[in-house]
Amino acid sequence: MTSVAEKPPRQDVPPEPVRPTLRQRLSRWDVRFSPYLYIAPFFVVFGLTGLFPLLYTGYVSLFDWEIGDDDPKFIGLENFVTLLGDAQFWNAVVNTISIFVLSSGPQLVIAILLAALLSLRLRFPASWRVGILLPYSASLVALGIIFANLFGPRYGLVNAMLEAVGLDRVEWQANRFASHLAIATMVNWRWTGYNALIVLAAMQALPRDVYEAAVVDGAGAVRRFFSITLPMLKPTLIFVVVTSTIGGLQIFTEPKLFDAMPGSNNGGSQHQFQTLTLYLYQSAFEGFDLGYASAIAWLLFLLIVLIALVNFLITRRVAATTGLKR
Amino acid sequence: MTVRIFPRGRGGSRFFVYATLIAFVAGSLFPFYWSFLVASRDTGMLSDHLPPLLPGGNFWANAGRVFDAVPFWKALGNSLIVAGTVTLTTVLFSALAGFAFAKMRFRGSNGLFVFIVVTLAVPTQLGVIPLFIMMSDLGWAGHLQAVIVPNLVTAFGVFWMRQYIVDAVPYELIEAARVDGCSVFGTFVHVCLPAIRPAAAVLAMFTFMMSWNDFLWPLIVLDAGNPTVQVALEKLQSGHYVDYSLVLAGTTLATIPVLIVFLLLGRQIVSGIMQGAVKG
C-alpha cells in the first residue's frame, strides 16, 4: 500500500462484488478514523496543558522545589504539614471565602430580580440587555485599577461622596472587612448582568400553561414568582451557583490590583485581603517555592470541590422546598 | 388566553421598572466614564474636594505618556496576535470536534464527550506552576506561543459547537454530499461550515474577549519587555508613585476598542449568552 496517498481518478467502474475498490476502502477508513482526528486537538491540548499540569502539581507539591532548581528534594507531605500550620494560609482561606460570600450571595439575588425586570414587556428590550452586560466587556485589570482609584483612601470618589453626605471616610484598603466589601463590589459589578441574562434566558423558556393555571387559581404576581418561577429555575440556579463558586474561589486579579502598594502580592499590609490564588502566586513567583505553591494549589482545588458540592446541595434543597415539584 | 410571567406594569410600577433599569445601566457605565474623566485631566484634580463631572482636555497628552512608559504598541500587537490566533484555532478545532460528536458514529464517542463536559469544571488555573516549569524547559517562557498553545481549543468551544451542530446540520445533507463523493472533510467544509456561521461568530467573540482580557497566565509567563495589553497595564500601575491620569489613560486606551466592538456586536453577544444558557 504505497500509493494510498494518491486520490484515484473519478471513474464510473461498476463495483466488484467481492473485493472493495481502493476508493471504497479509502472512504471507509475516512469515515472510521476522521472523527478521532477531529477531536484529537482538544485531547492533545487539554492533556498537555490542562490535565498533565494539574496532576503534576500534585507531584511538585511533594518536593522542596525552587524555581530553576535542577535537583529538587523529595520531602513527602511536609509542604502540606507546614501549610496547615501556616497562619497566612488560613488567613487567605478566610479572606477567599469572605470575599466569595460577599460577592456571590448579593449577586445572585440581584441577578434574579434584574432578570425579572428584564422579562417584562419593555421598550427597546435588546438595548437594556446590552446595557447591563457592558461591565462584562471590561478587562479585570482595567477594572481593578479603576476600582482601586474609586476606593482610594485619600482621593477616592467613594470617600468623597461619603463625606459629602456627612459620613466618615472608610479605610477601604486598610480595614479588613471594608477591603473585602470593595473587592466584592468589583466582582458583583462585572458579573451581575451576565448572570441576570442567564437567568432571564431560563425564565423565558418556562412553560406558560403553569402560569395560566396559577392565574386561574388566583395567584398574584409575587406569589407566582416565589411559588413557580424560582422552583422551576432550579437547574439554572445550580449552574450559576456552581460556576460562580469555581470562578469566585480562584479570585486573583481584583485583590492583586486593589493593593495600596501597587505590584505587591501581599494583599494589603497585613494580608487583610490576600486570597488563596494570590498567596499561591506570591509563594511561587516571589518566594520561588514551587513545591509549597503547588501544595496551596491542591488544597485550593479541594476547597473548590468541597464548596461547589455544598452549594450544589443547598441550592437543590432550597429550590426544592419553595414548593411545586416538577 | 396568554399570560405573561410578569404582567405589563402600569403607571407607578412602570416608572419604577424603568428607573431601576436606568440606574443599573448608569452604574454599569460609570466606572468607564470615571476612568476617562481622570485620564483626560491631570492627577491634581483628584485632590480637589469635589471632582469635576466633565472630561478635561489632557487625554491625548496622557495617552502619549502611556506609550513612553510601557511598550504599549508592542503590547497591543501581542494581544492582537494572541487573541486572533486563539480565536481562529478555537473556532476551527471546536467546529471539527463538534461535527464529529454531533454527526458521526464512532467507538467511545459518548464517553469522550462526557469527559470533555467534565473538564469544564476543572479549574485549569491551578496547574499554572507545572505549566510554567514546562514552558521554561521548552524555552517558551517570555514568548507568545506560551500564551497561545494552552488556549488553542477549549472544552466550552467543543461543547458549544456540538450543541449547535446537532440541530443545524441535517443528516440528509451530509448523506447527499457523501453520495456525491465528498470526503468526510469535504462534507465538513461544504455542508457543516456554512450552516454554523452564527454559532461560530458568537464563539469567536467570546473567545476573543476572554483571550484579550486574560491576565494571570500571561503575567506569569511573559516578561515586561514582551507583554500583552493586560500585563502592560499592570506594569503601568506598579511604580512607587501611582500617576492616576497616566494609569487610567492606559486603561481607557485598552478598553475603548473592546467597548466599541461590544457596542457594535452587543446584540449578538447577548443572544449568544442567552442561547448558551438555555441549551447548557
Side-chain angles (χ1 to χ4, degrees):
Chain A
M1 301 296 287
T2 47
S3 60
V4 169
E6 282 183 56
K7 207 174 172 187
R10 239 187 147 160
Q11 49 191 329
D12 293 309
V13 186
E16 285 177 45
V18 190
R19 266 177 65 89
T21 63
L22 180 64
R23 188 182 155 69
Q24 280 171 325
R25 266 183 290 162
L26 278 180
S27 167
R28 202 172 301 158
W29 284 345
D30 188 11
V31 171
R32 184 186 277 182
F33 295 113
S34 22
Y36 294 105
L37 204 61
Y38 296 171
I39 65 172
F42 173 81
F43 287 93
V44 172
V45 169
F46 177 75
L48 288 179
T49 66
L51 188 63
F52 172 70
L54 203 65
L55 298 175
Y56 198 60
T57 300
Y59 175 76
V60 175
S61 73
L62 303 176
F63 288 81
D64 182 10
W65 192 318
E66 298 222 334
I67 283 191
D69 198 342
D70 290 329
D71 186 24
K73 200 171 90 208
F74 181 81
I75 54 169
L77 294 175
E78 202 180 302
N79 280 325
F80 290 92
V81 174
T82 317
L83 200 51
L84 292 177
D86 176 352
Q88 198 180 341
F89 169 74
W90 289 111
N91 172 65
V93 170
V94 172
N95 290 344
T96 306
I97 294 177
S98 163
I99 293 170
F100 165 68
V101 170
L102 284 172
S103 55
S104 60
Q107 188 184 123
L108 193 61
V109 174
I110 297 175
I112 293 174
L113 294 177
L114 199 55
L117 289 185
L118 286 171
S119 72
L120 298 171
R121 191 176 303 170
L122 300 166
R123 277 171 198 278
F124 317 115
S127 311
W128 294 115
R129 291 173 192 175
V130 173
I132 65 153
L133 192 65
L134 265 179
Y136 176 73
S137 69
S139 90
L140 288 178
V141 177
L143 264 191
I145 294 173
I146 294 170
F147 274 75
N149 173 260
L150 286 171
F151 284 103
R154 263 179 303 170
Y155 304 133
L157 182 66
V158 178
N159 272 347
M161 280 164 61
L162 286 179
E163 287 196 325
V165 295
L167 294 169
D168 287 339
R169 54 178 55 225
V170 175
E171 292 296 325
W172 291 108
Q173 265 110 356
N175 180 292
R176 191 176 187 194
F177 181 73
S179 67
H180 294 186
L181 208 60
I183 292 171
T185 307
M186 251 183 261
V187 179
N188 290 337
W189 184 78
R190 186 160 198 257
W191 290 107
T192 304
Y194 176 86
N195 284 326
L197 287 182
I198 290 183
V199 175
L200 173 65
M203 274 185 186
Q204 292 187 332
L206 296 181
R208 302 278 137 162
D209 49 348
V210 185
Y211 287 93
E212 288 171 13
V215 169
V216 172
D217 289 347
V222 175
R223 180 73 204 275
R224 291 203 297 272
F225 179 72
F226 283 103
S227 300
I228 301 180
T229 311
L230 273 191
M232 290 213 293
L233 285 178
K234 191 173 80 178
T236 308
L237 296 184
I238 290 177
F239 171 79
V240 170
V241 166
V242 170
T243 51
S244 73
T245 307
I246 294 170
L249 291 175
Q250 294 186 77
I251 187 167
F252 167 76
T253 311
E254 292 91 339
K256 175 156 173 62
L257 289 153
F258 191 61
D259 212 299
M261 294 261 300
S264 141
N265 301 306
N266 284 324
S269 48
Q270 311 287 318
H271 309 302
Q272 62 269 28
F273 51 89
Q274 186 173 51
T275 58
L276 277 169
T277 313
L278 192 52
Y279 188 35
L280 182 161
Y281 179 86
Q282 185 179 39
S283 305
F285 301 104
E286 199 180 297
F288 304 122
D289 193 344
L290 297 182
Y292 201 60
S294 298
I296 299 176
W298 259 96
L299 289 184
L300 174 57
F301 182 49
L302 291 181
L303 186 75
I304 289 173
V305 172
L306 188 76
I307 295 189
L309 209 63
V310 169
N311 280 340
F312 170 74
L313 293 174
I314 293 177
T315 317
R316 211 173 58 167
R317 180 67 58 83
V318 167
T321 48
T322 334
L324 198 114
K325 293 249 154 57
R326 287 188 90 172
Chain B
M1 173 178 87
T2 54
V3 177
R4 294 190 53 80
I5 295 180
F6 298 93
R8 194 173 184 165
R10 266 171 259 100
S13 73
R14 211 170 165 70
F15 172 77
F16 170 78
V17 168
Y18 281 105
T20 313
L21 287 176
I22 287 171
F24 249 94
V25 174
S28 296
L29 272 170
F30 182 74
F32 294 117
Y33 181 69
W34 176 255
S35 163
F36 180 65
L37 191 70
V38 179
S40 63
R41 292 177 169 267
D42 63 70
T43 301
M45 94 168 236
L46 285 168
S47 53
D48 290 352
H49 186 59
L50 276 177
L53 291 175
L54 292 174
N58 287 347
F59 179 71
W60 293 113
N62 290 329
R65 291 194 295 136
V66 171
F67 290 92
D68 297 335
V70 286
F72 208 70
W73 283 120
K74 179 153 197 159
L76 280 171
N78 281 346
S79 279
L80 269 179
I81 293 172
V82 169
T85 315
V86 164
T87 302
L88 271 179
T89 60
T90 299
V91 171
L92 176 67
F93 289 146
S94 301
L96 275 169
F99 178 64
F101 280 121
K103 294 294 165 187
M104 300 183 71
R105 271 187 227 116
F106 57 100
R107 201 177 285 251
S109 66
N110 285 335
L112 291 171
F113 185 67
V114 169
F115 179 81
I116 291 185
V117 173
V118 170
T119 67
L120 278 171
V122 178
T124 47
Q125 275 203 359
L126 299 185
V128 291
I129 289 163
L131 202 54
F132 175 75
I133 299 176
M134 276 168 63
M135 293 301 171
S136 304
D137 288 350
L138 284 171
W140 286 9
H143 298 282
L144 293 186
Q145 64 263 38
V147 184
I148 294 173
V149 170
N151 295 307
L152 283 177
V153 53
T154 57
F156 172 78
V158 176
F159 177 76
W160 172 263
M161 279 302 180
R162 184 206 166 258
Q163 297 303 87
Y164 193 84
I165 292 172
V166 163
D167 295 332
V169 183
Y171 280 108
E172 291 78 19
L173 273 183
I174 297 176
E175 272 157 27
R178 296 285 304 163
V179 170
D180 286 350
C182 246
S183 65
V184 173
F185 188 72
T187 52
F188 172 76
V189 171
H190 297 297
V191 179
C192 183
L193 278 189
I196 62 170
R197 274 165 62 180
V202 172
L203 180 62
M205 284 182 304
F206 277 153
T207 311
F208 193 89
M209 277 168 60
M210 301 256 267
S211 180
W212 183 271
N213 289 332
D214 193 16
F215 176 58
L216 175 62
W217 178 237
L219 177 70
I220 290 173
V221 82
L222 295 180
D223 50 56
N226 191 30
T228 59
V229 167
Q230 311 302 332
V231 177
L233 284 184
E234 201 262 351
K235 289 288 173 284
L236 205 54
Q237 191 223 23
S238 53
H240 283 290
Y241 159 77
V242 183
D243 179 348
Y244 272 111
S245 293
L246 170 73
V247 174
L248 291 179
T251 65
T252 306
L253 282 177
T255 308
I256 284 178
V258 187
L259 206 59
I260 290 174
V261 170
F262 185 85
L263 287 174
L264 289 176
L265 304 176
R267 277 164 171 268
Q268 274 109 309
I269 297 178
V270 166
S271 65
I273 285 179
M274 297 198 44
Q275 203 181 354
V278 172
K279 290 188 169 181

